[in-house]
Amino acid sequence: MVLQRATHRLLRSAAKALPRQQVRQLSIHEYQSHKLLIEFGAPVPKGRLVRTPDEARSAVNELGPCFIKAQVLDGGRAGGVFDNGVQGGVRAVRDPEEAAALASQMLGQRLRTRRSPKEGHAVNELYVAETVPFDAEWYLAMTIDRSNYAPAIIISKKGGRDIDVIAQEHPESIHTFNFGLSEGITQALVSDISSKVGLSAPETESLAPILSSMYQIFSQKDGTLLEVNPLAHSPDGSFTCLDATFTFDNSAVHRQRDMFALRDRSQEVADELEAERHGLLYVKMDGDIGNVVNGAGLAMATNDAIGFHGGANSNFLDAGGKATKETMQQAFGIITRDPRVKAILVNIYGGLTRCDMIAESIIGASKELDIRVPMVVRLQGTNSAEGLRLLAEANLGLHVESDFGRAAQRVVELAKAA
């Protein structure tokens, strides 16, 4: 039972690493993940990246029966729906003409999945991969177990679905194995996996080099989550990496320039990209309360406090310790352009960030942006008294609170009353 609870915690952590909207980790497309697997010696189906129906026709003519897969950075593509009503972002085709016809229906459309934003993602590329005979779909991942301060391998014989679905429907099928990053994939680790998962000799012989390949990618490329799902199990006990979704540590950008050159900004949220250009950490969320906060920890605490009082954030915005008047006004601009926002909470604890500068930013934003939603302001720390004086003199009709909890409660009340 203890092990099962630990596994569930790890799965929740892994699920958070999955990029619903590019949450500050580098995610790469399936075809790019396949290239990495090939480079490091793992078995994958032959495939071709295509951008036109004619290219899809040529690929299937060369490879034979194939799967055509929309290249978007979202899970659940197979169950997705395109704007034109076409069902499924992963489809099997038998001949070149069928491939061309299907590609014409997929390219240039937007695909919505259970993980995507409401507007979905534009499909500009398709990956055409040959079919591989198999008798079962497994799940395999390598990620970081933060509870145990070690990397971990997650494996299940119930693959082909998102890991959260597997965990809900077949929790007993999931096995987790910690290992040392410096030791890598040892014979002892492989034997332990083989014993606890119940692998045959051919299965063990096939899985071991795949684990070694994933470990090399994980360690050399600063991986945070490498998912192979499904891992195709063939009747002879061999495995093939059918689909792969890889995520890498965003803080490794200076070490991994070749990896970060693969970043597909067309799949990202426009407001998040704009915030990044101004040195702001902004993540779009699903609620109706906008936030301007300095510091990631305070931003997370603010999110929790708003949730505790029955509200929901429209964004996570960390202005950081080096925010300027100009960048703060950009932050207000991004938040106030969001039509979902019914109230705004400014929660600043002044250290490097001066509260009087924040007050000047609020005043400037109010004049330039015509902010029409109520705003709650909490300023504490460096020059907070001066900041509060400036706001009082500006007479902007703000709701000023000194208590953290009361500020969160007040903004929720205002949003619900709007």
Side-chain angles (χ1 to χ4, degrees):
M1 182 62 71
V2 172
L3 177 60
Q4 190 176 53
R5 287 198 297 268
T7 298
H8 287 175
R9 286 196 302 270
L10 179 55
L11 291 174
R12 288 194 295 269
S13 176
K16 290 177 181 178
L18 291 171
R20 189 176 71 87
Q21 296 180 1
Q22 286 294 94
V23 183
R24 293 304 166 264
Q25 298 291 338
L26 171 68
S27 296
I28 61 176
H29 287 291
E30 175 191 6
Y31 77 92
Q32 296 166 328
S33 299
H34 271 207
K35 284 183 178 179
L36 274 177
L37 286 167
I38 292 170
E39 179 184 343
F40 285 87
V44 302
K46 294 179 181 177
R48 300 286 182 271
L49 183 70
V50 304
R51 298 182 176 88
T52 68
D54 284 342
E55 289 178 353
R57 179 188 291 111
S58 297
V60 174
N61 187 56
E62 174 188 350
L63 299 173
C66 287
F67 281 94
I68 293 185
K69 307 179 183 184
Q71 294 302 281
V72 295
L73 296 175
D74 276 320
R77 292 174 298 167
V81 181
F82 289 90
D83 281 350
N84 57 8
V86 171
Q87 301 282 328
V90 178
R91 299 278 296 276
V93 293
R94 294 164 293 183
D95 58 65
E97 294 309 315
E98 184 183 6
L102 183 58
S104 67
Q105 295 176 317
M106 298 171 89
L107 288 166
Q109 298 293 321
R110 300 189 74 85
L111 178 66
R112 295 187 301 277
T113 74
R114 73 185 189 93
R115 289 188 179 274
S116 70
K118 292 181 180 178
E119 65 273 16
H121 284 305
V123 177
N124 302 313
E125 299 171 323
L126 303 172
Y127 189 48
V128 181
E130 67 176 350
T131 58
V132 174
F134 60 88
D135 60 4
E137 295 180 333
W138 292 25
Y139 175 93
L140 177 65
M142 191 170 291
T143 189
I144 299 169
D145 182 353
R146 300 188 186 279
S147 297
N148 292 314
Y149 307 101
I153 294 164
I154 304 173
I155 187 168
S156 172
K157 293 184 178 181
K158 300 288 186 179
R161 289 158 291 182
D162 289 345
I163 188 60
D164 54 339
V165 176
I166 300 172
Q168 181 178 0
E169 297 181 356
H170 301 282
E172 77 289 345
S173 75
I174 299 171
H175 303 270
T176 302
F177 303 89
N178 289 116
F179 65 95
L181 193 61
S182 57
E183 292 84 4
I185 308 302
T186 63
Q187 183 58 51
L189 174 62
V190 172
S191 296
D192 189 33
I193 294 173
S194 178
S195 174
K196 291 179 180 176
V197 179
L199 304 182
S200 66
E203 290 169 344
T204 302
E205 184 178 355
S206 179
L207 183 64
I210 294 176
L211 292 174
S212 295
S213 297
M214 291 177 66
Y215 163 72
Q216 294 297 325
I217 297 169
F218 190 81
S219 59
Q220 294 181 28
K221 302 296 185 180
D222 289 284
T224 56
L225 176 63
L226 309 184
E227 280 193 305
V228 176
N229 185 28
L231 176 69
H233 177 278
S234 297
D236 63 1
S238 64
F239 294 101
T240 305
C241 303
L242 284 194
D243 194 355
T245 303
F246 291 176
T247 305
F248 301 89
D249 186 355
N250 200 62
S251 63
V253 59
H254 299 297
R255 293 192 301 272
Q256 305 289 352
R257 295 186 184 278
D258 58 334
M259 292 301 305
F260 281 80
L262 303 176
R263 180 180 176 186
D264 185 357
R265 288 176 171 79
S266 71
Q267 296 284 307
E268 300 184 37
V269 179
D271 286 341
E272 294 181 7
L273 290 172
E274 181 180 351
E276 184 179 329
R277 287 194 292 271
H278 296 290
L280 302 166
L281 177 57
Y282 174 94
V283 179
K284 198 169 185 178
M285 299 174 70
D286 297 328
D288 57 10
I289 297 175
N291 290 276
V292 179
V293 185
N294 66 321
L298 183 58
M300 289 187 284
T302 301
N303 180 69
D304 289 344
I306 288 173
F308 177 78
H309 289 288
N313 285 4
S314 66
N315 68 275
F316 175 103
L317 192 150
D318 173 15
K322 298 181 180 179
T324 66
K325 180 179 178 181
E326 290 71 26
T327 59
M328 291 303 298
Q329 288 189 264
Q330 291 294 336
F332 284 113
I334 292 170
I335 291 173
T336 55
R337 284 199 304 270
D338 189 339
R340 304 169 305 157
V341 172
K342 296 180 180 178
I344 298 172
L345 172 60
V346 181
N347 189 12
I348 302 295
Y349 188 86
L352 294 175
T353 302
R354 299 186 349 260
C355 292
D356 57 331
M357 181 271 289
I358 298 296
E360 291 172 356
S361 301
I362 295 172
I363 295 168
S366 297
K367 292 178 179 178
E368 294 183 14
L369 301 173
D370 188 24
I371 300 175
R372 297 179 180 271
V373 298
M375 184 183 301
V376 177
V377 179
R378 173 184 178 258
L379 301 178
Q380 283 195 354
T382 305
N383 292 359
S384 59
E386 176 65 12
L388 292 172
R389 183 188 66 78
L390 290 171
L391 292 176
E393 292 177 354
N395 194 27
L396 299 174
L398 303 175
H399 303 265
V400 179
E401 298 285 351
S402 59
D403 179 74
F404 185 178
R406 179 56 190 161
Q409 181 179 5
R410 183 62 174 145
V411 77
V412 171
E413 293 169 350
L414 292 168
K416 290 183 176 181

